[in-house]
Amino acid sequence: MNLQTLLYIGGRLIKGVIILLIIAVFNFFLIRAAPGDPAKVLAGEAGASDEVFLQQLREQFGLDQPLYYQLWVYINNLVHFDMGMSYRQNIPVFDLIMDRLPATLLLTGAAFLLSIVLGVLAGVIASVNYKKWLDSVITILSLIFYATPLFWLAIMASLFFSVYLDWLPSFGMETVGVDLSGWDRFVDVALHLVLPATTLGLFFTAVYARMTRTSMIETGRLDFVKTAIAKGMKPSRVTYKHVLRNALLPVITLAGIQAGQLIGGAVLTETVFAWPGIGRLMFEALFQRDYNLLLGVFFISSAMVVLFNLITDVIYCVVDPRIELSK
C-alpha cells in the first residue's frame, strides 16, 4: 500500500467522521420530532402514570432539559465513544448493539455474498445467451424478485419451507432449548440462516443480475472486444478476461452503495424470522421510544455505510488499476 493510498484513506476517514457527526445531529432532531414520550411508555409499563413519577423519569434520563442541551450532551458523549444508556433496559447502548451486531453481520454478510455470486452468475449467463430463452427466463425472474415486497416474500418462504414442507426452521438463530457446540452448532445456525439470508438476498440478486447483464452487453460492443475477437482469441477468454472484468465496475459501485442498505432490509427480515440482530433491536426500540438506543443503532448503521463506501473505492482500484485514488 503506497503513500498516496494511505493519504486517500486518511482523508476519507476524516470526511467520514464529519459526515457521521452531521448524520448524528440530523437523527437527533428527527427522533425528537417523532410523537411519543419515553417517560410515559416506561410509566405505563410500570403501572404508575402520575405526574410526579413522570417528572422523576424525565429528570433521570435528562428529558427535562432544553433540546439544545440534550443535543450537546449527546454529541459530547458520542465524541467520547459513549452512546448513553438504554431508557428501558438501563444497559449501555454500545453493549446492547455489540451483543446483537454479530448476528446482523452474519445475516447481511451471507445475503450479500449470495446476492453477488448468484446475481453476477445469472447476469453472465443471460448476456452470453442474449435474446435466447435462457436470457428471457433470467430477466423475468429478476423482475419478479425485484418487484416482490420483502416482507411478503419472507412470510411466504416461512410458510412454504417451514410450515408446509418442514425443511427449515422458521425463526431464531439457534434451536431453543438445545445446547450444541462445534460442528453441530455450526450446522444448526446455518440451517436457521438459510431462509432469512435467501429472502434478504433475492432482491439484490435481481438487481445485480440485471446490472451485470446490461453492463456486459454494452461492454461486448466496444472496439477493444471486437479487436480481441478479430485476433482469434477464444470467445470464453474474451468474455471472462475482457468483458466481465470491465463490466464488473458498475456492479461493484452498486454493491458498495447497497451493502449498507442491507441493514434497512434486515429490519423486516429479522422481525419476520425473529433473528436476534440490530434490525430487530431497532424495531423494538422504536415502539418503546428508546431514543438513545435508536440513535445508537442509526449511528452504527451510518458508520457501516461510510466504511462500505471506502472499501468499494479501494476495491475499484484493485479490479481496474487504471483508476487512481485521489483526495
Side-chain angles (χ1 to χ4, degrees):
M1 187 175 294
N2 55 35
L3 180 60
Q4 183 182 5
T5 303
L6 290 175
L7 289 174
Y8 172 80
I9 293 176
R12 284 294 301 271
L13 287 175
I14 293 173
K15 293 177 183 177
V17 171
I18 296 173
I19 291 172
L20 287 176
L21 288 176
I22 294 173
I23 291 175
V25 173
F26 176 79
N27 286 337
F28 178 87
F29 286 111
L30 186 66
I31 290 179
R32 290 304 194 280
D37 185 353
K40 291 183 178 179
V41 174
L42 291 172
E45 293 178 352
S49 58
D50 60 281
E51 192 59 36
V52 175
F53 184 63
L54 289 174
Q55 184 60 28
Q56 290 175 347
L57 288 175
R58 293 191 181 99
E59 291 177 358
Q60 178 182 349
F61 298 118
L63 297 173
D64 61 326
Q65 300 294 331
L67 196 60
Y68 68 87
Y69 182 79
Q70 294 183 42
L71 175 62
W72 163 252
V73 171
Y74 170 66
I75 296 298
N76 185 58
N77 289 339
L78 199 60
V79 170
H80 292 86
F81 305 101
D82 181 10
M83 296 183 181
M85 301 288 289
S86 168
Y87 295 159
R88 187 173 188 274
Q89 304 185 47
N90 201 28
I91 298 175
V93 169
F94 184 79
D95 293 344
L96 285 172
I97 294 176
M98 288 301 105
D99 184 55
R100 298 285 193 100
L101 187 59
T104 295
L105 291 179
L106 176 62
L107 173 60
T108 55
F112 182 74
L113 290 176
L114 177 70
S115 61
I116 283 288
V117 173
L118 291 183
V120 171
L121 180 61
V124 170
I125 294 173
S127 65
V128 171
N129 296 274
Y130 181 53
K131 291 186 177 180
K132 297 180 181 179
W133 68 270
L134 195 54
D135 178 28
S136 300
V137 170
I138 293 175
T139 301
I140 292 172
L141 288 176
S142 298
L143 287 173
I144 291 174
F145 288 129
Y146 180 80
T148 303
L150 182 61
F151 71 91
W152 185 88
L153 190 63
I155 293 173
M156 291 301 104
S158 180
L159 289 174
F160 185 73
F161 290 103
S162 297
V163 179
Y164 182 70
L165 295 178
D166 196 23
W167 286 358
L168 297 166
S170 60
F171 66 92
M173 186 175 172
E174 299 181 62
T175 302
V176 179
V178 179
D179 186 16
L180 300 175
S181 61
W183 176 253
D184 292 334
R185 184 170 184 265
F186 175 82
V187 173
D188 185 51
V189 173
L191 289 175
H192 283 79
L193 181 64
V194 172
L195 281 181
T198 304
T199 302
L200 182 59
L202 279 178
F203 170 82
F204 297 98
T205 299
V207 174
Y208 299 143
R210 290 181 58 81
M211 175 66 75
T212 303
R213 173 186 177 274
T214 302
S215 185
M216 286 195 66
I217 291 173
E218 293 177 352
T219 305
R221 294 169 179 169
L222 298 178
D223 291 338
F224 78 92
V225 176
K226 296 178 181 178
T227 302
I229 295 174
K231 288 182 177 180
M233 187 177 291
K234 293 181 180 180
S236 58
R237 184 175 176 82
V238 173
T239 299
Y240 295 105
K241 184 177 181 180
H242 295 286
V243 179
L244 180 59
R245 184 169 184 175
N246 288 276
L248 279 179
L249 294 178
V251 178
I252 292 173
T253 303
L254 185 65
I257 295 173
Q258 293 186 329
Q261 295 179 1
L262 282 168
I263 300 296
V267 176
L268 292 174
T269 307
E270 290 181 2
T271 301
V272 172
F273 292 104
W275 188 266
I278 63 172
R280 189 179 174 201
L281 182 67
M282 180 169 60
F283 182 79
E284 295 169 353
L286 177 64
F287 280 93
Q288 295 163 2
R289 302 297 188 274
D290 198 336
Y291 290 164
N292 280 348
L293 185 53
L294 269 176
L295 287 171
V297 174
F298 289 164
F299 182 81
I300 294 297
S301 302
S302 303
M304 292 175 66
V305 173
V306 172
L307 179 61
F308 286 144
N309 286 336
L310 175 59
I311 293 174
T312 302
D313 289 341
V314 175
I315 293 176
Y316 230 76
C317 298
V318 175
V319 175
D320 190 349
R322 295 172 299 176
I323 301 175
E324 295 183 358
L325 295 174
S326 61
K327 294 185 290 181

